[in-house]
Structures are given as C-alpha cells and as structure tokens.
C-alpha cells in the first residue's frame, strides 16, 4: 500500500509518501510545495493543485491522507489553509479511494503513542519508524510523513507492521 500524506498550507504544503510492503514501512519521498506570498491567492492555489496532481501521477498512491485543520487564533490564516486543503482534496479525487483526514491528536497518538507529544518527538519517531538517517526536512514534510504513517496505523495490517518494526514484536 502506498500512502501520500499531506500537511496542508498556503505558503508551504508538506507531502510525504510511505509504502507498506508486508511488514516493512518505508519512505518513498517527501518535500514541500512552496508558494510565494507575493502571488495572488488564485495563483498560489493553482500551483498547490497542479503540483499535488504531479505527485499523484509520480507516486500513484492507493490513498491520500490529509491532516485536519487546527484552528487557533488567526482566522484569516485558517481560511487560507482551508482553501489550500480544498484544492488538495480536489486533486486527491483522482485517486479511487476518498482522501482520509486525521486530526493532530490522532497523528501524534499513532506515531508516538502520546496525544500531547511535541513536534520533535513526532519527528524523531517518524525517523525511527521509517528507518531514516535523520529527521526529514523541512518540518512540513516530516509532518506529512507522520500523516501517512498515521493512516497505516488505522489499517489493521499497517498497525501490525509498524508495531513489529518499532517494538521488535512479531504479530
């Protein structure tokens, strides 16, 4: 199973692709779709959409997993990120399976086992689970890999595989 994880944003949308092959969970790539604040919003949204479609064609994921919005204080930012998320969902509609959404709490629990884990704890566990030499950079890309890992945890076969890798326990 190939999962494209997405951490939506207007300035920087993180993406990460993980592959579950038997009991092995590995990274197939990660990065960010970056837009310029100097560009009008419609240009930025078009770029996010077009680059997401290119990622879908390149990696041919079985499913797309997207982080749900976390609305804090800045409503204007939340609305802009919501627009970015909308074009990402539109792009993801090319995949036969509907995109899955996970809250920050679900992602932290799936990756670290602790819903109040810090950003660095999530990044360290992402590195460990995917057997990477270093924490994925930039931060939004690491977050997107965590979203993809979270999706594998919500799949019963994926949960057994990740437990086997991290905990050294068989299924």
């Amino acid at each position: 199973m190939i999962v494209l994880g997405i951490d939506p944003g207007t300035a920087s949308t993180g993406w990460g692709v993980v592959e579950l092959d038997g009991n092995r969970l590995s990274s197939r790539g990660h990065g960010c779709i970056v837009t310029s604040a100097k560009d009008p919003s419609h240009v930025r949204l078009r770029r996010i959409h077009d680059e997401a479609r290119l990622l879908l064609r390149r990696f041919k994921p079985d499913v797309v997993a997207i982080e749900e919005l976390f609305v804090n204080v800045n409503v204007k930012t939340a609305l802009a990120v919501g627009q970015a998320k909308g074009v990402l969902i539109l792009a993801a509609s090319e995949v036969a399976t509907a995109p899955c959404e996970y809250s920050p709490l679900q992602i932290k629990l799936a990756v670290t086992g602790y819903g109040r884990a810090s950003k660095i704890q999530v990044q360290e566990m992402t590195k460990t689970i995917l057997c990477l030499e270093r924490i994925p950079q930039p931060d939004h890309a690491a977050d997107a890999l965590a979203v993809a890992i979270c999706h594998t945890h919500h799949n019963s076969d994926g949960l057994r595989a990740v437990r086997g890798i991290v905990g050294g326990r068989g299924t």
Side-chain angles (χ1 to χ4, degrees):
M1 170 175 57
I2 298 172
V3 181
L4 170 60
I6 298 177
D7 177 27
T10 306
S12 182
T13 291
W15 62 269
V17 179
V18 299
E19 181 174 12
L20 181 61
D21 184 17
N23 284 340
R24 182 167 154 67
L25 190 61
S26 59
S27 172
R28 296 199 54 199
H30 61 274
C32 284
I33 300 169
V34 179
T35 66
S36 172
K38 295 177 185 177
D39 290 335
S41 62
H42 73 280
V43 171
R44 296 173 86 182
L45 293 171
R46 168 56 70 184
R47 179 177 182 144
I48 292 167
H49 178 265
D50 291 350
E51 289 196 31
R53 288 185 71 208
L54 289 173
L55 291 169
L56 291 165
R57 288 188 193 118
R58 176 178 167 195
F59 291 104
K60 298 176 180 38
D62 299 299
V63 66
V64 176
I66 302 175
E67 183 172 357
E68 289 179 351
L69 293 179
F70 174 73
V71 178
N72 201 357
V73 177
N74 193 334
V75 175
K76 184 176 179 180
T77 300
L79 289 172
V81 174
Q83 290 175 330
K85 183 178 171 188
V87 299
L88 290 161
I89 290 171
L90 176 63
S93 69
E94 293 183 13
V95 177
T97 307
C100 298
E101 295 184 46
Y102 298 98
S103 70
L105 175 65
Q106 288 175 300
I107 296 163
K108 289 177 181 183
L109 277 170
V111 175
T112 70
Y114 180 56
R116 292 181 156 233
S118 68
K119 192 169 193 70
I120 192 69
Q121 288 172 315
V122 174
Q123 292 171 345
E124 282 289 344
M125 281 305 297
T126 297
K127 177 187 92 164
T128 301
I129 290 168
L130 296 174
C131 301
L132 301 173
E133 291 181 17
R134 62 185 68 86
I135 291 173
Q137 293 295 322
D139 287 355
H140 293 294
D143 294 344
L145 286 168
V147 175
I149 292 168
C150 177
H151 180 77
T152 68
H153 275 72
H154 284 82
N155 172 301
S156 61
D157 292 332
L159 182 58
R160 280 199 315 272
V162 172
R163 280 186 180 155
I165 292 168
V166 175
R169 297 181 301 270
T171 55

